[in-house]
Amino acid sequence: AQSVSQHNHHVILSEAASLELGCNYSYGGTVNLFWYVQYPGQHLQLLLKYFSGDPLVKGIKGFEAEFIKSKFSFNLRKPSVQWSDTAEYFCAVNALNDMRFGAGTRLTVKP
Amino acid sequence: SQTIHQWPATLVQPVGSPLSLECTVEGTSNPNLYWYRQAAGRGLQLLFYSVGIGQISSEVPQNLSASRPQDRQFILSSKKLLLSDSGFYLCAWSVGGRGGTDTQYFGPGTRLTVL
């Protein structure tokens, strides 16, 4: 079975700092890629997704992610974080109709 | 628009007691339905998925079972809870293939504590 790795368990940033959360997966074939976010006390919701085409995907709230096939990576980025970005972020990879989630990265943004 | 409901929101149960968590989806027909358990630092573990009424697939052997008595209703059950069943349970739905190219949409979750 494929695996999804999020290496950063907890990231603490100050407001206006740049963010990059790592996501790597193991499957070597065609994949669909997702980032989900869970704000405190809220549902898990989709942030952005990649199925095909431009490997740089833009999502809601100024987030973007880049699919680098050669590195099996789909890192999430935001140039300037806000306090309201404090949340847990999950990478997910679907390969051969098998969806797997990473362990999640907790982001704390200090005002 | 589609919505997904889960109840109860929180539950505290003694070891050995039964369990029934309910998930319902509105605004779509014949969705794929999923039960996940979310544990701190371990992401989401898929427990069960269903592509139709009465069709349940289990991902991992465990103390839990699932049923789909109606098209948009998905129930997670146990006859006797274990301490290790404590966790945050999420229901999700999607259309199209299982996961596939379609996004999964998640419910608000149920926090289960087994004492």
Side-chain angles (χ1 to χ4, degrees), chain B residues 69-108:
Chain B
Q70 300 180 40
D71 180 45
R72 288 169 287 180
Q73 184 184 32
F74 204 24
I75 296 173
L76 184 68
S77 304
S78 174
K79 292 182 180 177
K80 285 187 178 182
L81 282 169
L82 305 172
L83 285 174
S84 58
D85 292 324
S86 293
F88 191 57
Y89 290 84
L90 287 168
C91 181
W93 70 273
S94 72
V95 293
R98 178 199 151 194
T101 58
D102 289 294
T103 306
Q104 292 186 17
Y105 299 93
F106 288 83

mmCIF file of all heavy atoms in Angstrom, chain B residues 69-108:
data_model
loop_
_atom_site.group_PDB
_atom_site.id
_atom_site.type_symbol
_atom_site.label_atom_id
_atom_site.label_comp_id
_atom_site.label_asym_id
_atom_site.label_seq_id
_atom_site.Cartn_x
_atom_site.Cartn_y
_atom_site.Cartn_z
ATOM 1 N N PRO B 69 -27.981 1.159 5.875
ATOM 2 C CA PRO B 69 -29.369 0.729 5.682
ATOM 3 C C PRO B 69 -30.130 1.534 4.631
ATOM 4 O O PRO B 69 -31.094 1.032 4.055
ATOM 5 C CB PRO B 69 -29.984 0.933 7.070
ATOM 6 C CG PRO B 69 -29.136 1.969 7.716
ATOM 7 C CD PRO B 69 -27.762 1.801 7.167
ATOM 8 N N GLN B 70 -29.688 2.751 4.387
ATOM 9 C CA GLN B 70 -30.320 3.601 3.378
ATOM 10 C C GLN B 70 -29.234 4.263 2.537
ATOM 11 O O GLN B 70 -28.074 4.308 2.948
ATOM 12 C CB GLN B 70 -31.187 4.681 4.033
ATOM 13 C CG GLN B 70 -32.310 4.140 4.905
ATOM 14 C CD GLN B 70 -33.121 5.256 5.528
ATOM 15 O OE1 GLN B 70 -33.410 6.270 4.889
ATOM 16 N NE2 GLN B 70 -33.499 5.076 6.784
ATOM 17 N N ASP B 71 -29.631 4.807 1.404
ATOM 18 C CA ASP B 71 -28.664 5.359 0.450
ATOM 19 C C ASP B 71 -27.754 6.407 1.072
ATOM 20 O O ASP B 71 -26.561 6.469 0.776
ATOM 21 C CB ASP B 71 -29.417 5.957 -0.746
ATOM 22 C CG ASP B 71 -28.488 6.543 -1.779
ATOM 23 O OD1 ASP B 71 -27.475 5.877 -2.102
ATOM 24 O OD2 ASP B 71 -28.747 7.646 -2.284
ATOM 25 N N ARG B 72 -28.310 7.240 1.944
ATOM 26 C CA ARG B 72 -27.529 8.358 2.460
ATOM 27 C C ARG B 72 -27.320 8.260 3.976
ATOM 28 O O ARG B 72 -27.140 9.272 4.642
ATOM 29 C CB ARG B 72 -28.226 9.677 2.091
ATOM 30 C CG ARG B 72 -28.113 9.983 0.604
ATOM 31 C CD ARG B 72 -29.018 11.133 0.181
ATOM 32 N NE ARG B 72 -30.412 10.744 0.168
ATOM 33 C CZ ARG B 72 -31.409 11.556 -0.162
ATOM 34 N NH1 ARG B 72 -31.166 12.805 -0.466
ATOM 35 N NH2 ARG B 72 -32.647 11.136 -0.156
ATOM 36 N N GLN B 73 -27.344 7.038 4.477
ATOM 37 C CA GLN B 73 -27.138 6.826 5.899
ATOM 38 C C GLN B 73 -26.044 5.789 6.119
ATOM 39 O O GLN B 73 -26.063 4.708 5.519
ATOM 40 C CB GLN B 73 -28.451 6.341 6.550
ATOM 41 C CG GLN B 73 -28.377 6.178 8.046
ATOM 42 C CD GLN B 73 -29.662 5.605 8.629
ATOM 43 O OE1 GLN B 73 -30.352 4.811 7.986
ATOM 44 N NE2 GLN B 73 -29.996 6.007 9.838
ATOM 45 N N PHE B 74 -25.114 6.116 6.981
ATOM 46 C CA PHE B 74 -23.973 5.238 7.236
ATOM 47 C C PHE B 74 -23.794 5.165 8.747
ATOM 48 O O PHE B 74 -23.713 6.195 9.409
ATOM 49 C CB PHE B 74 -22.724 5.812 6.566
ATOM 50 C CG PHE B 74 -21.651 4.813 6.238
ATOM 51 C CD1 PHE B 74 -21.924 3.466 6.052
ATOM 52 C CD2 PHE B 74 -20.340 5.234 6.063
ATOM 53 C CE1 PHE B 74 -20.932 2.562 5.720
ATOM 54 C CE2 PHE B 74 -19.332 4.337 5.722
ATOM 55 C CZ PHE B 74 -19.637 3.010 5.551
ATOM 56 N N ILE B 75 -23.756 3.954 9.287
ATOM 57 C CA ILE B 75 -23.730 3.776 10.738
ATOM 58 C C ILE B 75 -22.485 3.003 11.141
ATOM 59 O O ILE B 75 -22.123 2.001 10.501
ATOM 60 C CB ILE B 75 -24.995 3.031 11.210
ATOM 61 C CG1 ILE B 75 -26.229 3.901 10.916
ATOM 62 C CG2 ILE B 75 -24.917 2.712 12.703
ATOM 63 C CD1 ILE B 75 -27.544 3.211 11.168
ATOM 64 N N LEU B 76 -21.831 3.483 12.170
ATOM 65 C CA LEU B 76 -20.662 2.806 12.733
ATOM 66 C C LEU B 76 -21.070 2.217 14.077
ATOM 67 O O LEU B 76 -21.639 2.921 14.909
ATOM 68 C CB LEU B 76 -19.518 3.804 12.913
ATOM 69 C CG LEU B 76 -18.183 3.235 13.394
ATOM 70 C CD1 LEU B 76 -17.559 2.349 12.324
ATOM 71 C CD2 LEU B 76 -17.220 4.365 13.749
ATOM 72 N N SER B 77 -20.771 0.940 14.293
ATOM 73 C CA SER B 77 -21.265 0.252 15.483
ATOM 74 C C SER B 77 -20.182 -0.588 16.137
ATOM 75 O O SER B 77 -19.171 -0.933 15.515
ATOM 76 C CB SER B 77 -22.422 -0.682 15.106
ATOM 77 O OG SER B 77 -23.443 -0.001 14.451
ATOM 78 N N SER B 78 -20.471 -0.898 17.388
ATOM 79 C CA SER B 78 -19.674 -1.891 18.099
ATOM 80 C C SER B 78 -20.581 -2.581 19.106
ATOM 81 O O SER B 78 -21.460 -1.951 19.692
ATOM 82 C CB SER B 78 -18.498 -1.236 18.817
ATOM 83 O OG SER B 78 -17.819 -2.181 19.621
ATOM 84 N N LYS B 79 -20.349 -3.860 19.331
ATOM 85 C CA LYS B 79 -21.131 -4.575 20.342
ATOM 86 C C LYS B 79 -20.547 -4.355 21.725
ATOM 87 O O LYS B 79 -21.270 -4.271 22.725
ATOM 88 C CB LYS B 79 -21.155 -6.071 20.014
ATOM 89 C CG LYS B 79 -21.949 -6.396 18.764
ATOM 90 C CD LYS B 79 -21.983 -7.894 18.514
ATOM 91 C CE LYS B 79 -22.785 -8.209 17.258
ATOM 92 N NZ LYS B 79 -22.786 -9.657 16.937
ATOM 93 N N LYS B 80 -19.212 -4.262 21.787
ATOM 94 C CA LYS B 80 -18.543 -4.065 23.079
ATOM 95 C C LYS B 80 -17.328 -3.171 22.866
ATOM 96 O O LYS B 80 -16.340 -3.584 22.265
ATOM 97 C CB LYS B 80 -18.075 -5.397 23.665
ATOM 98 C CG LYS B 80 -19.169 -6.270 24.251
ATOM 99 C CD LYS B 80 -18.563 -7.481 24.940
ATOM 100 C CE LYS B 80 -19.649 -8.341 25.585
ATOM 101 N NZ LYS B 80 -19.067 -9.505 26.314
ATOM 102 N N LEU B 81 -17.389 -1.970 23.383
ATOM 103 C CA LEU B 81 -16.300 -1.023 23.189
ATOM 104 C C LEU B 81 -15.068 -1.395 23.998
ATOM 105 O O LEU B 81 -15.160 -1.910 25.126
ATOM 106 C CB LEU B 81 -16.749 0.383 23.593
ATOM 107 C CG LEU B 81 -17.627 1.111 22.586
ATOM 108 C CD1 LEU B 81 -18.223 2.362 23.213
ATOM 109 C CD2 LEU B 81 -16.860 1.456 21.313
ATOM 110 N N LEU B 82 -13.904 -1.088 23.400
ATOM 111 C CA LEU B 82 -12.622 -1.238 24.065
ATOM 112 C C LEU B 82 -12.041 0.145 24.342
ATOM 113 O O LEU B 82 -12.419 1.126 23.683
ATOM 114 C CB LEU B 82 -11.645 -2.014 23.170
ATOM 115 C CG LEU B 82 -12.101 -3.380 22.658
ATOM 116 C CD1 LEU B 82 -11.106 -3.908 21.635
ATOM 117 C CD2 LEU B 82 -12.286 -4.353 23.799
ATOM 118 N N LEU B 83 -11.118 0.211 25.278
ATOM 119 C CA LEU B 83 -10.456 1.490 25.558
ATOM 120 C C LEU B 83 -9.812 2.050 24.288
ATOM 121 O O LEU B 83 -9.833 3.258 24.049
ATOM 122 C CB LEU B 83 -9.385 1.313 26.641
ATOM 123 C CG LEU B 83 -9.879 1.149 28.080
ATOM 124 C CD1 LEU B 83 -8.709 0.832 28.994
ATOM 125 C CD2 LEU B 83 -10.600 2.409 28.555
ATOM 126 N N SER B 84 -9.255 1.175 23.491
ATOM 127 C CA SER B 84 -8.553 1.589 22.276
ATOM 128 C C SER B 84 -9.479 2.135 21.197
ATOM 129 O O SER B 84 -9.015 2.655 20.175
ATOM 130 C CB SER B 84 -7.750 0.418 21.699
ATOM 131 O OG SER B 84 -8.616 -0.673 21.431
ATOM 132 N N ASP B 85 -10.783 2.037 21.404
ATOM 133 C CA ASP B 85 -11.729 2.602 20.430
ATOM 134 C C ASP B 85 -11.908 4.107 20.606
ATOM 135 O O ASP B 85 -12.532 4.762 19.770
ATOM 136 C CB ASP B 85 -13.094 1.912 20.550
ATOM 137 C CG ASP B 85 -13.054 0.459 20.099
ATOM 138 O OD1 ASP B 85 -12.318 0.166 19.132
ATOM 139 O OD2 ASP B 85 -13.744 -0.373 20.716
ATOM 140 N N SER B 86 -11.366 4.650 21.671
ATOM 141 C CA SER B 86 -11.458 6.103 21.866
ATOM 142 C C SER B 86 -10.807 6.820 20.696
ATOM 143 O O SER B 86 -9.774 6.392 20.186
ATOM 144 C CB SER B 86 -10.750 6.508 23.160
ATOM 145 O OG SER B 86 -11.429 6.008 24.283
ATOM 146 N N GLY B 87 -11.418 7.919 20.285
ATOM 147 C CA GLY B 87 -10.850 8.686 19.184
ATOM 148 C C GLY B 87 -11.874 9.611 18.578
ATOM 149 O O GLY B 87 -12.979 9.777 19.095
ATOM 150 N N PHE B 88 -11.486 10.203 17.483
ATOM 151 C CA PHE B 88 -12.346 11.144 16.761
ATOM 152 C C PHE B 88 -12.739 10.472 15.455
ATOM 153 O O PHE B 88 -11.880 10.124 14.653
ATOM 154 C CB PHE B 88 -11.568 12.448 16.522
ATOM 155 C CG PHE B 88 -12.415 13.577 16.019
ATOM 156 C CD1 PHE B 88 -13.517 14.007 16.741
ATOM 157 C CD2 PHE B 88 -12.093 14.222 14.837
ATOM 158 C CE1 PHE B 88 -14.303 15.064 16.281
ATOM 159 C CE2 PHE B 88 -12.868 15.277 14.379
ATOM 160 C CZ PHE B 88 -13.969 15.698 15.102
ATOM 161 N N TYR B 89 -14.037 10.280 15.268
ATOM 162 C CA TYR B 89 -14.539 9.533 14.121
ATOM 163 C C TYR B 89 -15.164 10.500 13.111
ATOM 164 O O TYR B 89 -16.037 11.306 13.448
ATOM 165 C CB TYR B 89 -15.563 8.484 14.565
ATOM 166 C CG TYR B 89 -14.910 7.364 15.332
ATOM 167 C CD1 TYR B 89 -14.668 7.480 16.696
ATOM 168 C CD2 TYR B 89 -14.487 6.206 14.679
ATOM 169 C CE1 TYR B 89 -14.035 6.462 17.398
ATOM 170 C CE2 TYR B 89 -13.856 5.183 15.376
ATOM 171 C CZ TYR B 89 -13.632 5.330 16.729
ATOM 172 O OH TYR B 89 -12.996 4.315 17.422
ATOM 173 N N LEU B 90 -14.700 10.374 11.894
ATOM 174 C CA LEU B 90 -15.169 11.248 10.822
ATOM 175 C C LEU B 90 -15.870 10.431 9.753
ATOM 176 O O LEU B 90 -15.387 9.380 9.343
ATOM 177 C CB LEU B 90 -13.988 11.978 10.185
ATOM 178 C CG LEU B 90 -13.345 13.095 11.009
ATOM 179 C CD1 LEU B 90 -12.030 13.504 10.384
ATOM 180 C CD2 LEU B 90 -14.274 14.283 11.102
ATOM 181 N N CYS B 91 -16.992 10.960 9.308
ATOM 182 C CA CYS B 91 -17.708 10.403 8.168
ATOM 183 C C CYS B 91 -17.433 11.307 6.974
ATOM 184 O O CYS B 91 -17.288 12.534 7.127
ATOM 185 C CB CYS B 91 -19.196 10.351 8.479
ATOM 186 S SG CYS B 91 -20.227 9.648 7.180
ATOM 187 N N ALA B 92 -17.339 10.727 5.801
ATOM 188 C CA ALA B 92 -17.108 11.513 4.587
ATOM 189 C C ALA B 92 -17.900 10.920 3.430
ATOM 190 O O ALA B 92 -18.288 9.757 3.461
ATOM 191 C CB ALA B 92 -15.623 11.555 4.235
ATOM 192 N N TRP B 93 -18.123 11.761 2.424
ATOM 193 C CA TRP B 93 -18.794 11.265 1.227
ATOM 194 C C TRP B 93 -18.080 11.774 -0.017
ATOM 195 O O TRP B 93 -17.351 12.752 0.014
ATOM 196 C CB TRP B 93 -20.270 11.692 1.208
ATOM 197 C CG TRP B 93 -20.496 13.157 0.988
ATOM 198 C CD1 TRP B 93 -20.535 14.124 1.948
ATOM 199 C CD2 TRP B 93 -20.710 13.832 -0.257
ATOM 200 N NE1 TRP B 93 -20.760 15.356 1.374
ATOM 201 C CE2 TRP B 93 -20.879 15.208 0.022
ATOM 202 C CE3 TRP B 93 -20.792 13.401 -1.588
ATOM 203 C CZ2 TRP B 93 -21.122 16.150 -0.972
ATOM 204 C CZ3 TRP B 93 -21.033 14.336 -2.580
ATOM 205 C CH2 TRP B 93 -21.188 15.701 -2.266
ATOM 206 N N SER B 94 -18.278 11.069 -1.107
ATOM 207 C CA SER B 94 -17.781 11.516 -2.403
ATOM 208 C C SER B 94 -18.689 10.934 -3.475
ATOM 209 O O SER B 94 -19.490 10.046 -3.206
ATOM 210 C CB SER B 94 -16.337 11.067 -2.641
ATOM 211 O OG SER B 94 -16.275 9.668 -2.878
ATOM 212 N N VAL B 95 -18.558 11.445 -4.678
ATOM 213 C CA VAL B 95 -19.252 10.846 -5.815
ATOM 214 C C VAL B 95 -18.195 10.328 -6.775
ATOM 215 O O VAL B 95 -17.022 10.619 -6.646
ATOM 216 C CB VAL B 95 -20.183 11.840 -6.535
ATOM 217 C CG1 VAL B 95 -21.336 12.213 -5.628
ATOM 218 C CG2 VAL B 95 -19.424 13.070 -6.982
ATOM 219 N N GLY B 96 -18.583 9.550 -7.724
ATOM 220 C CA GLY B 96 -17.617 8.980 -8.648
ATOM 221 C C GLY B 96 -16.978 7.751 -8.051
ATOM 222 O O GLY B 96 -17.517 7.137 -7.147
ATOM 223 N N GLY B 97 -15.793 7.404 -8.518
ATOM 224 C CA GLY B 97 -15.098 6.232 -8.013
ATOM 225 C C GLY B 97 -14.721 6.402 -6.564
ATOM 226 O O GLY B 97 -14.725 7.501 -6.049
ATOM 227 N N ARG B 98 -14.328 5.325 -5.912
ATOM 228 C CA ARG B 98 -13.945 5.375 -4.504
ATOM 229 C C ARG B 98 -12.735 6.300 -4.382
ATOM 230 O O ARG B 98 -11.649 5.972 -4.839
ATOM 231 C CB ARG B 98 -13.601 3.974 -4.007
ATOM 232 C CG ARG B 98 -13.152 3.986 -2.551
ATOM 233 C CD ARG B 98 -12.401 2.733 -2.195
ATOM 234 N NE ARG B 98 -11.442 2.989 -1.139
ATOM 235 C CZ ARG B 98 -10.470 2.178 -0.799
ATOM 236 N NH1 ARG B 98 -10.331 1.047 -1.445
ATOM 237 N NH2 ARG B 98 -9.639 2.468 0.169
ATOM 238 N N GLY B 99 -12.949 7.472 -3.793
ATOM 239 C CA GLY B 99 -11.883 8.475 -3.775
ATOM 240 C C GLY B 99 -11.734 8.998 -5.182
ATOM 241 O O GLY B 99 -12.302 10.013 -5.525
ATOM 242 N N GLY B 100 -11.056 8.297 -6.010
ATOM 243 C CA GLY B 100 -10.941 8.617 -7.427
ATOM 244 C C GLY B 100 -10.503 10.039 -7.652
ATOM 245 O O GLY B 100 -9.634 10.567 -6.977
ATOM 246 N N THR B 101 -11.104 10.683 -8.628
ATOM 247 C CA THR B 101 -10.761 12.065 -8.887
ATOM 248 C C THR B 101 -11.688 13.012 -8.152
ATOM 249 O O THR B 101 -11.577 14.213 -8.300
ATOM 250 C CB THR B 101 -10.841 12.363 -10.388
ATOM 251 O OG1 THR B 101 -12.155 12.082 -10.840
ATOM 252 C CG2 THR B 101 -9.842 11.537 -11.164
ATOM 253 N N ASP B 102 -12.626 12.470 -7.398
ATOM 254 C CA ASP B 102 -13.573 13.328 -6.707
ATOM 255 C C ASP B 102 -13.167 13.569 -5.269
ATOM 256 O O ASP B 102 -12.673 12.686 -4.583
ATOM 257 C CB ASP B 102 -14.974 12.712 -6.743
ATOM 258 C CG ASP B 102 -15.567 12.777 -8.126
ATOM 259 O OD1 ASP B 102 -15.832 13.903 -8.589
ATOM 260 O OD2 ASP B 102 -15.725 11.721 -8.745
ATOM 261 N N THR B 103 -13.430 14.772 -4.833
ATOM 262 C CA THR B 103 -13.071 15.182 -3.492
ATOM 263 C C THR B 103 -13.941 14.479 -2.464
ATOM 264 O O THR B 103 -15.122 14.216 -2.712
ATOM 265 C CB THR B 103 -13.273 16.692 -3.373
ATOM 266 O OG1 THR B 103 -12.537 17.324 -4.420
ATOM 267 C CG2 THR B 103 -12.815 17.214 -2.030
ATOM 268 N N GLN B 104 -13.368 14.199 -1.320
ATOM 269 C CA GLN B 104 -14.152 13.697 -0.199
ATOM 270 C C GLN B 104 -14.528 14.871 0.683
ATOM 271 O O GLN B 104 -13.702 15.738 0.966
ATOM 272 C CB GLN B 104 -13.357 12.657 0.600
ATOM 273 C CG GLN B 104 -13.137 11.372 -0.182
ATOM 274 C CD GLN B 104 -12.492 10.279 0.634
ATOM 275 O OE1 GLN B 104 -12.462 10.311 1.858
ATOM 276 N NE2 GLN B 104 -11.965 9.265 -0.052
ATOM 277 N N TYR B 105 -15.785 14.879 1.129
ATOM 278 C CA TYR B 105 -16.299 15.946 1.982
ATOM 279 C C TYR B 105 -16.604 15.365 3.347
ATOM 280 O O TYR B 105 -17.262 14.334 3.455
ATOM 281 C CB TYR B 105 -17.550 16.570 1.364
ATOM 282 C CG TYR B 105 -17.283 17.188 0.013
ATOM 283 C CD1 TYR B 105 -17.465 16.457 -1.157
ATOM 284 C CD2 TYR B 105 -16.822 18.494 -0.088
ATOM 285 C CE1 TYR B 105 -17.192 17.015 -2.390
ATOM 286 C CE2 TYR B 105 -16.557 19.063 -1.324
ATOM 287 C CZ TYR B 105 -16.735 18.316 -2.476
ATOM 288 O OH TYR B 105 -16.464 18.874 -3.690
ATOM 289 N N PHE B 106 -16.148 16.059 4.369
ATOM 290 C CA PHE B 106 -16.171 15.487 5.703
ATOM 291 C C PHE B 106 -17.256 16.090 6.584
ATOM 292 O O PHE B 106 -17.602 17.268 6.467
ATOM 293 C CB PHE B 106 -14.813 15.693 6.381
ATOM 294 C CG PHE B 106 -13.738 14.814 5.811
ATOM 295 C CD1 PHE B 106 -13.052 15.177 4.668
ATOM 296 C CD2 PHE B 106 -13.430 13.603 6.411
ATOM 297 C CE1 PHE B 106 -12.077 14.357 4.120
ATOM 298 C CE2 PHE B 106 -12.445 12.772 5.890
ATOM 299 C CZ PHE B 106 -11.773 13.151 4.743
ATOM 300 N N GLY B 107 -17.751 15.253 7.495
ATOM 301 C CA GLY B 107 -18.687 15.706 8.507
ATOM 302 C C GLY B 107 -17.959 16.334 9.682
ATOM 303 O O GLY B 107 -16.723 16.380 9.696
ATOM 304 N N PRO B 108 -18.704 16.795 10.681
ATOM 305 C CA PRO B 108 -18.094 17.484 11.825
ATOM 306 C C PRO B 108 -17.397 16.552 12.797
ATOM 307 O O PRO B 108 -16.621 17.010 13.636
ATOM 308 C CB PRO B 108 -19.283 18.175 12.488
ATOM 309 C CG PRO B 108 -20.456 17.345 12.096
ATOM 310 C CD PRO B 108 -20.165 16.831 10.724
#
